[in-house]
């Protein structure tokens, strides 16, 4: 889609809370749905599916959540419980379930963290391992193409002297950061980013006048 039909210049009621103020429904298409169904079917047959479902069941019993979340929402449930528990514990609130504060609970917690991260990265791992990774880029563009589009747009503007801005700060969740790291480098994305992490994208200019600038990233 052309940029002018996708990115809204300012916040408006037509695009609340969407990354880069993207106009709604433009990020979905037949290819995304087709690829999502294929990797979704594979996830249901994987060991991760049963592992995440069992962890969700055990944690739901500890936290008193009823009914137990459906199996296809296990990853999202583990993510939500993890975030809530860490925030409450860091703020010194007294409502963190006591079983989470025991040695056994720490082991359960570690397993849930690993499973939730693997759940989030499953799509990228699936396409990385199929067809020699040929469709990984295609899936990545479907999932985060507009993020990289805006990033590229900023780099190009800097290269062409159309922008004097030297720093942009884009706030995102650990869920999105995990996915981006997993897309770029599976090992970096294997663990949830620590609280307060940053993914830095930089544009460097080589000393030689004949050399072009090149982007890089670090985390």
């Amino acid at each position: 889609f052309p940029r002018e039909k996708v990115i809204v210049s300012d916040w408006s009621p037509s695009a609340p809370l969407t990354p880069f103020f993207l106009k709604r429904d433009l990020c979905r298409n037949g290819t995304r749905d087709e690829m999502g169904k294929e990797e979704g079917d594979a996830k249901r047959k994987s060991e991760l599916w049963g592992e995440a479902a069992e962890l969700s069941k055990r944690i739901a019993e500890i936290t008193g959540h009823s009914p137990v979340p459906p199996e296809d929402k296990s990853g999202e449930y583990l993510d939500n419980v993890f975030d809530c528990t860490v925030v409450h514990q860091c703020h010194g609130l007294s409502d963190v379930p006591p079983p989470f504060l025991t040695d056994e609970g720490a082991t359960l917690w570690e397993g849930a963290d690993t499973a939730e991260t693997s759940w989030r990265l499953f799509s990228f791992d699936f396409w990385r391992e199929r067809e020699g990774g040929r469709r990984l880029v295609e899936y990545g563009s479907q999932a985060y193409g507009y993020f990289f589009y805006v990033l590229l747009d900023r780099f190009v503007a800097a290269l062409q002297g159309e922008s004097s801005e030297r720093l942009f700060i884009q706030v995102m969740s650990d869920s999105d950061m995990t996915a981006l790291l997993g897309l770029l480098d599976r090992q970096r994305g294997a663990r949830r980013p620590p609280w307060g992490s940053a993914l830095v994208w930089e544009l460097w200019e080589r000393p030689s006048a004949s050399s072009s600038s090149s982007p890089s990233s670090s985390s």
Side-chain angles (χ1 to χ4, degrees):
F1 299 99
R3 177 175 57 172
E4 60 272 16
K5 291 186 178 180
V6 176
I7 301 177
V8 181
S9 58
D10 292 302
W11 184 92
S12 69
S14 64
L17 304 178
T18 53
F20 307 107
F21 307 121
L22 296 181
K23 295 180 181 177
R24 289 182 177 275
D25 300 325
L26 288 183
C27 294
R28 298 198 63 83
N29 56 57
T31 301
R32 173 76 180 273
D33 293 340
E34 176 186 342
M35 297 182 79
K37 182 180 184 305
E38 187 172 348
E39 60 91 5
D41 290 342
K43 181 185 285 186
R44 288 180 175 83
K45 299 174 184 177
S46 69
E47 293 182 3
L48 176 62
W49 184 273
E51 178 185 351
E54 179 60 27
L55 285 165
S56 293
K57 180 180 179 180
R58 291 177 62 189
I59 290 178
E61 292 173 353
I62 292 174
T63 58
H65 287 144
S66 179
V68 176
E71 292 186 349
D72 63 335
K73 298 297 182 182
S74 296
E76 290 85 347
Y77 174 70
L78 294 175
D79 185 25
N80 291 335
V81 171
F82 189 96
D83 286 349
C84 288
T85 303
V86 171
V87 169
H88 284 222
Q89 179 71 359
C90 287
H91 284 278
L93 301 180
S94 60
D95 57 353
V96 174
F100 285 160
L101 305 178
T102 66
D103 290 341
E104 182 180 355
T107 301
L108 176 63
W109 199 244
E110 182 72 16
D113 187 16
T114 300
E116 187 275 323
T117 302
S118 297
W119 185 280
R120 194 167 299 284
L121 293 178
F122 185 92
S123 302
F124 300 106
D125 290 342
F126 176 78
W127 293 110
R128 182 179 281 109
E129 295 168 1
R130 288 180 63 84
E131 303 178 33
R134 181 181 63 83
R135 301 196 72 186
L136 174 63
V137 174
E138 181 180 6
Y139 184 83
S141 68
Q142 295 289 329
Y144 284 95
Y146 286 120
F147 171 83
F148 288 108
Y149 183 95
V150 173
L151 187 64
L152 176 63
D153 189 63
R154 289 171 175 170
F155 280 150
V156 171
L159 284 170
Q160 297 179 348
E162 298 174 356
S163 172
S164 60
E165 301 290 344
R166 299 183 63 84
L167 174 67
F168 291 94
I169 299 177
Q170 179 68 42
V171 179
M172 63 173 56
S173 69
D174 60 327
S175 303
D176 287 319
M177 188 176 291
T178 296
L180 288 171
L181 288 171
L183 174 61
L184 297 171
D185 185 330
R186 179 60 179 86
Q187 294 305 311
R188 287 189 179 185
R191 300 293 296 173
R192 179 192 298 269
W195 289 74
S197 296
L199 182 59
V200 181
W201 307 84
E202 297 177 314
L203 186 65
W204 288 77
E205 184 174 2
R206 297 189 179 93
S208 173
S210 60
S211 299
S212 60
S213 301
S214 59
S216 65
S217 67
S218 62
S219 61

